Structures are given as structure tokens and as C-alpha cells.
Amino acid sequence: MTQAIGNDEAAGSGSRSRNRSWIRASDWWEYKLLPPLAVAYATSLYLDRTLYDALAPIALVLVSLIPGAIYVSVLNDLTDRGDDHRAGKPNPQIGSGKILPLAILATCAAGGVLFGYIWRDNPFMIAVYATGWLAFSLYSLPPIRLKTRGAAGALCDAIGANTVPAVLAALACFATAPVAEQTAWLAGVAIWSTCFGLRGILWHQIVDFEFDRLAGANTLVARIGVEAAARWARRVIFPLELMAIGSLALLGGPIALAAGVVALALYGWLVWERNDRFLMVVRIVGHHPRGTLFLHEFYDVFLPLALLVTCIAIDPRNLAVLVLHLLLFPQRWRQVLDDVTRLRDPQYESSRRSR
């Protein structure tokens, strides 16, 4: 979506076509779709429903997110042309006409209408889905353009990029279960995903701080400063995120809780070893040359895979879901596997052994 944590690839590299760089699929395909998948897997355990039976509605939600992701990527670059040109920030649309991006936006909007029609018998699903499109539009489009209106822009981005996909993923698993009976679960999902999304957009705005300052873009970080934004993340946003994910773990039952604990232990081990061997650090928020966003890989890799393995133990048919997951989203788990493999390299000897 509008932020790409951990992915600093240039949008318009020579190996890609210009149209593909506008879509920026590498910014959101795994980084924005994996956390909602973790929610879907956890929700199936919470409902004591076989994940395999919910595969079709989950897949439909994932596909429905693609038009919105392309829409916000193209719209954000289109409306940022002037600011990015003044600040000297790369933007693949600078110097191009407006006909093609407008055509892409119209096509994406038509796709959104199609999914609204598919869910025509589920008004709550439609309302949540439409909220994402509204958030994307309010974030970028003038004269409202919440991106340049401080906290409202950050919250709008988090809702569109994180909250809506996570809530839709949970709703996909409910099927005929009354939504009114699942308010506690949905509230936990919404709070957790919003807080994680806020940390993500603050990270992005901190990285872009100098560009935004030069362009005169009044983002939240540009308004209150990097240190103040980091304090808000550490003292308010992150504690709320932890409380929300903790409540979901308890609501999910002992099996889901055990899977989450194992995933967290493995993630913690990797963080420790990376810091010791590669001098990599984790940050609650804030940019670091060798830093990653704390818990991001836990949500992207460790948690969904642990939940999937748990689902397989309950119903072996879920092995097909695991295979699809690994094939469709290979980048993040391969990154983790590469780092684990590198731990055996003698040149990265542990500093604990060298003392």
C-alpha cells in the first residue's frame, strides 16, 4: 500500500516495466497480504472451523484486496507528483501523462464495484470493504488529502492498508456465524491491525521526513517531529497493539495460544541471533540502516506458518493450504530461511563465543 516496510527496492528499476513500477506490487503483495492471512488462520481456530472449508471465501478476500492496493499505489504517486518533484524524491509517474494512471484507477474502481456486487447479500462485508476505498481516496485526493493533515492522515492510511484487510479476512471465516456474536474478536483484530498499521506509516514517514519537509507535506511526523512520533509509538500505540494481540491469543483458545507462543519463541531466537551475528536491530518505530520493524516478521512469517501447521494437525487437508501459502508468498519465508542458513557461516561467528 502506501508504506513498504523492509522493502527498499526502487519502484522503477530497469528490470521492470514502467507500468509495473506504478503498480508497486513488490511493496504490498506479501507485506500487506500476509498479516490478514494470519488473521484468517487464527479466526478458523477461534471458530473451531476447518480452514480448508473456508479457503474459497479467504481467497476471494485476498483477490478483492488487489484492486485497492493497485488503486492506492497509483493514486498516491499521481497526487504526489508535485511534492515529489519539489523534494527530488523518485516517483515513476513524474514526466508521464495522466491518461494511463486514470485508466488504471478506473479499472481498479470497477473491480471494487464487482466485489461489492459479489457480497451484495452481506452488507457488513460491503461496508468494511467500502471503508478501505474511502480511506485510500481521502488519504490522497485533494482538497481533503488527509496525508498532509497530520494524525488524520496516519490513521486513514492504517485503516485502509491494515485494518480493513484484517477485518475482511476475519469476516471471510465467519460464513453463517452471526457477526454480532463475534464483536470481541473483531474488535481485537481491528485494534491490533490499526496499531500495527500506525507503526508502519510512522516508520515510512520517518524515512521520508526530509523529503516531506522539502516538499512542505504536513504529515504527522513532519508536524510533531521524529522523536515525538517515536515516543507516541513506544508509549501508546505499541502497548495497545500488544494488548490487542494478547486478547486475541486468549480468545483464540489454548491451541491457537500455543501456536502463537511457539512462533514468538522462534521469532525471538532469530532476532537475538541476527543481532549477535549480523548486528541487526529491531525498532518499535524509527529508521535504522540495519533495522527492521519489531514483530513484522512475526506477523508475516512465523505466526501464519505456526497457525497453518496447527491447522494441519487438526485436519490434514489443510496441508494444501500450506502448499498454496508457500508458493504464493515465497519472498518473506525465504528471507528468514536465508538468514537461518547464514547463521552457520563461520564469518558470522557469534560474538558470545569470541569473548
Side-chain angles (χ1 to χ4, degrees), residues 108-176:
C108 291
V113 171
L114 174 61
F115 285 103
Y117 177 78
I118 293 173
W119 289 320
R120 62 190 179 278
D121 295 328
N122 191 336
F124 189 67
M125 197 88 163
I126 293 175
V128 174
Y129 188 58
T131 298
W133 287 87
L134 180 63
F136 295 149
S137 300
L138 292 176
Y139 181 80
S140 295
L141 285 174
I144 298 177
R145 193 162 164 75
L146 292 179
K147 178 177 182 177
T148 60
R149 298 180 185 270
L155 181 61
C156 192
D157 180 275
I159 290 172
N162 295 83
T163 312
V164 166
V167 172
L168 285 174
L171 291 174
C173 296
F174 286 163
T176 57

Side-chain angles (χ1 to χ4, degrees), residues 64-346:
S64 77
L65 297 175
I66 294 175
I70 297 173
Y71 175 85
V72 71
S73 297
V74 174
L75 180 62
N76 199 46
D77 282 345
L78 178 64
T79 55
D80 278 355
R81 284 182 175 189
D83 288 347
D84 290 345
H85 180 69
R86 285 191 295 273
K89 181 181 177 181
N91 183 325
Q93 293 192 34
I94 292 178
S96 302
K98 294 185 178 181
I99 294 178
L100 182 56
L102 290 175
I104 294 174
L105 294 176
T107 303
C108 291
V113 171
L114 174 61
F115 285 103
Y117 177 78
I118 293 173
W119 289 320
R120 62 190 179 278
D121 295 328
N122 191 336
F124 189 67
M125 197 88 163
I126 293 175
V128 174
Y129 188 58
T131 298
W133 287 87
L134 180 63
F136 295 149
S137 300
L138 292 176
Y139 181 80
S140 295
L141 285 174
I144 298 177
R145 193 162 164 75
L146 292 179
K147 178 177 182 177
T148 60
R149 298 180 185 270
L155 181 61
C156 192
D157 180 275
I159 290 172
N162 295 83
T163 312
V164 166
V167 172
L168 285 174
L171 291 174
C173 296
F174 286 163
T176 57
V179 173
E181 298 178 5
Q182 318 298 337
T183 52
W185 182 262
L186 285 177
V189 168
I191 294 170
W192 162 74
S193 55
T194 301
C195 291
F196 179 54
L198 284 171
R199 285 203 295 130
I201 187 59
L202 288 178
W203 179 294
H204 177 77
Q205 289 185 0
I206 288 171
V207 171
D208 281 352
F209 177 72
E210 285 301 322
F211 287 122
D212 291 336
R213 184 183 60 81
L214 291 172
N218 204 15
T219 63
L220 177 58
V221 174
R223 277 192 176 191
I224 67 176
V226 172
E227 290 302 319
R231 281 197 303 272
W232 270 98
R234 290 193 301 266
R235 298 176 183 179
V236 179
I237 299 171
F238 187 60
L240 283 175
E241 180 184 329
L242 291 181
M243 286 189 285
I245 194 69
S247 69
L248 291 174
L250 294 175
L251 287 171
I255 296 178
L257 177 61
V261 169
V262 171
L264 187 61
L266 291 173
Y267 169 73
W269 168 80
L270 184 61
V271 167
W272 174 271
E273 290 294 337
R274 277 175 170 167
N275 176 260
D276 183 52
R277 307 288 189 94
F278 312 143
L279 303 180
M280 291 181 64
V281 298
V282 291
R283 289 282 188 267
I284 292 175
V285 75
H287 179 61
H288 187 279
R290 300 180 65 83
T292 59
L293 190 65
F294 186 43
L295 292 181
H296 196 209
E297 283 176 313
F298 172 70
Y299 299 146
D300 282 3
V301 180
F302 290 91
L303 182 59
L305 290 181
L307 292 171
L308 273 175
V309 171
T310 304
C311 290
I312 292 170
I314 296 172
D315 185 346
R317 292 183 301 168
N318 291 318
L319 179 61
V321 184
L322 175 61
V323 171
L324 283 173
H325 182 103
L326 295 177
L327 290 175
L328 289 173
F329 306 99
Q331 180 181 347
R332 297 290 278 160
W333 65 263
R334 283 180 177 174
Q335 289 173 347
V336 170
L337 186 61
D338 286 346
D339 279 355
V340 172
T341 303
R342 288 167 60 205
L343 293 176
R344 302 178 61 182
D345 192 325

Side-chain angles (χ1 to χ4, degrees), residues 38-68:
V39 170
Y41 302 156
T43 303
S44 70
L45 290 173
Y46 162 71
L47 295 173
D48 196 22
R49 181 185 181 193
T50 300
L51 178 62
Y52 185 85
D53 293 338
L55 186 57
I58 293 171
L60 183 62
V61 165
L62 285 183
V63 175
S64 77
L65 297 175
I66 294 175

